[in-house]
Amino acid sequence: MGVENGSDSIPWGGEWRRHLRSDAEMDLVRSWKRRVECPTCKAAAGRACRTAGGSPTNEHRARRDAVGPIPYTKWRKEGLIPEQRTYTIPAVLKESEKARADFNVDTALADGVAVVRMFLADRLGLFLQGEEAMDRIDDAVRKLIEVRGPVGTADVVTVLAGQVASLLAANAGPDTDPEALFDTTIRAQIDMARRMNAVEKERADG
């Protein structure tokens, strides 16, 4: 897969791959990843990996490592998949790649940094409750989730939760409960949202 305006090293995964591949290519990739038994969940060769609860899931990393690199070049030479196509990387992924290079961190932390930077970049729009700013962030985060898949998404949520907890503890100081500060912040946001909804309703009824 070719990548325009960005690095080929960006980890692409999750459901977004369905938009980047033909059905024939997806079948080849799936079969390749399932050539061996999964060391993690013990799924037999040819069978899908399973979660702890028994539901089908994407192939575990240990299984992907065991089968080795996917032979796209060989498949193209054999005419099994189309020629390489080019895709443009969403802005949030470019920001994540920059964070990986800036801080020398893993993908989950870099994704968390990218999302926080987006909020900071649009902080004026957010402060004014601008819908356009929120829509831009919603769209970017949605693309990030589509690319990373469920496992990567969970990692990002964990990182963001850790960052929020750390900032709350720092802002609260030694004599204040961080959880109480968080509750106060959420209640303030809810109150503001309710006031804005009331204003909008009055305008609509006016």
Side-chain angles (χ1 to χ4, degrees):
M1 178 182 64
V3 180
E4 182 178 299
N5 299 328
S7 169
D8 287 307
S9 67
I10 289 180
W12 302 85
E15 292 300 312
W16 208 64
R17 280 195 180 276
R18 297 182 182 276
H19 303 293
L20 306 182
R21 293 177 173 155
S22 65
D23 290 340
E25 183 177 351
M26 287 180 62
D27 288 342
L28 283 169
V29 171
R30 187 181 299 111
S31 297
W32 179 264
K33 290 180 179 178
R34 297 178 183 177
R35 292 167 62 237
V36 300
E37 177 185 291
C38 178
T40 300
C41 66
K42 307 305 179 185
R47 304 297 297 272
C49 284
R50 299 279 171 174
T51 64
S55 301
T57 186
N58 293 334
E59 284 67 31
H60 291 108
R61 177 171 296 179
R63 194 177 202 179
R64 299 197 304 268
D65 291 343
V67 298
I70 299 173
Y72 291 111
T73 302
K74 177 176 178 291
W75 290 344
R76 290 192 185 95
K77 288 180 179 178
E78 295 174 353
L80 298 177
I81 58 176
E83 288 299 316
Q84 187 171 6
R85 294 167 289 174
T86 299
Y87 300 92
T88 301
I89 296 176
V92 66
L93 292 181
K94 293 181 183 178
E95 188 65 44
S96 175
E97 186 72 356
K98 182 176 184 299
R100 290 177 68 195
D102 288 348
F103 302 110
N104 190 26
V105 295
D106 62 15
T107 299
L109 182 52
D111 285 349
V113 171
V115 174
V116 172
R117 280 178 168 173
M118 290 190 62
F119 270 93
L120 292 174
D122 271 322
R123 61 188 178 277
L124 178 59
L126 291 171
F127 177 74
L128 298 175
Q129 297 297 306
E131 292 186 5
E132 182 180 351
M134 291 300 296
D135 287 346
R136 284 198 301 270
I137 294 173
D138 281 347
D139 183 61
V141 173
R142 190 175 298 112
K143 289 177 180 176
L144 182 65
I145 290 172
E146 289 175 350
V147 170
R148 300 306 189 207
V151 175
T153 300
D155 290 343
V156 174
V157 171
T158 301
V159 168
L160 287 173
Q163 291 176 342
V164 170
S166 297
L167 289 171
L168 283 169
N171 288 332
D175 301 324
T176 307
D177 182 2
E179 187 172 347
L181 177 58
F182 182 65
D183 287 347
T184 300
T185 303
I186 295 299
R187 291 182 189 281
Q189 291 179 338
I190 292 173
D191 289 343
M192 180 180 292
R194 286 173 176 166
R195 288 197 300 270
M196 291 187 62
N197 287 339
V199 170
E200 291 297 327
K201 188 175 184 301
E202 288 180 4
R203 289 177 179 173
D205 294 340

